[in-house]
Every structure is written in C-alpha cells, then in structure tokens.
Amino acid sequence: MQKIEWHKFYGHDPIQPISIKKYILDDGTMKETRQMTYECWYDNDETKEVVGMYPTFEIDDVVTRISDRNKLYCINRYERVFSEILVELLDSDMKRTGKTTYMEPSELLHVVKDVEWI
C-alpha cells in the first residue's frame, strides 16, 4: 500500500502524476476504479510550459472530507468556474441517499485503491 501525503498531493504546488486508481460509483456500486486524472499546471499561460500536474475531480468520483473521513460522497456536479462541487452522501451500502451539499475542492480527498492518505 502506498502512503501519500494528501496536503502535498492536493497542495498549491504542482506535482508529478502518480499512477493510482480512484473509486467511482458505477451502477450504484463502488467496485469500479479508474485511473486518477490530472490537469496540466502552467507556470505561464502564454507559453503553456507545463511545470507539473494537479489531480482533478470528476462526476461519479467517490470522495471523503478531510475533516471527517467516516462519510463517503459521490460527486454529482462540479462547477469549475466557482470551484464548487455538489456531492451526495452515500449510505453504508454505498447507495445514494439523496442528501446533497456543496463543498470546496480543498475540503475533499479521493477514495483510492491501495493508498493510505497521511
């Protein structure tokens, strides 16, 4: 199991991509995984020189709050312009509850396979 410092992975500095699998809610189950996705981090928007990457959130990603890792959520919508993510609380059977709330990306961690956030 990999140990990854979450504050560096999701931090304000660009990272090099790490090959890890994140869980998604597919057909109502959390058994599916897909490769973590990243976006380019440019030092200068004019030259488009890539200095690193940062992880992205996508619809159906299973996430948890940094401050309360006992609850799991599924991403329903991501408003990138306003940096708001609409998440839906999952019950203990990984079923959608219908209870939604908006969270900031800085509040969330992906639920990933074979990784321990430290």
Side-chain angles (χ1 to χ4, degrees):
M1 178 171 298
Q2 283 184 315
K3 293 185 181 213
I4 301 174
E5 293 183 57
W6 64 265
H7 63 279
K8 287 185 180 178
F9 188 76
Y10 293 101
H12 296 289
D13 294 322
I15 63 168
Q16 294 304 312
I18 301 170
S19 180
I20 56 177
K21 301 275 187 178
K22 61 183 176 178
Y23 283 99
I24 59 170
L25 196 66
D26 188 30
D27 296 330
T29 65
M30 194 180 79
K31 295 178 184 172
E32 296 296 319
T33 60
R34 67 176 164 218
Q35 186 66 38
M36 179 67 75
T37 54
Y38 298 90
E39 286 189 38
C40 293
W41 188 306
Y42 302 109
D43 197 25
N44 182 330
D45 284 336
E46 291 179 18
T47 63
K48 298 293 186 196
E49 183 179 337
V50 177
V51 294
M53 308 287 257
Y54 62 93
T56 59
F57 292 99
E58 298 179 295
I59 304 300
D60 294 332
D61 284 357
V62 177
V63 295
T64 188
R65 285 184 88 161
I66 293 169
S67 62
D68 182 6
R69 298 187 194 177
N70 294 323
K71 294 180 182 177
L72 297 180
Y73 302 87
C74 180
I75 295 177
N76 284 354
R77 186 171 63 229
Y78 185 8
E79 303 288 341
R80 291 179 190 266
V81 175
F82 302 109
S83 293
E84 290 184 330
I85 299 176
L86 180 66
V87 296
E88 183 173 353
L89 182 65
L90 302 176
D91 67 14
S92 59
D93 295 323
M94 296 302 130
K95 302 288 184 205
R96 296 175 184 268
T97 63
K99 297 177 184 176
T100 60
T101 189
Y102 280 96
M103 293 188 195
E104 297 288 327
S106 61
E107 295 179 86
L108 300 172
L109 298 173
H110 288 92
V111 177
V112 290
K113 185 177 184 176
D114 298 327
V115 169
E116 178 184 352
W117 295 120
I118 55 173

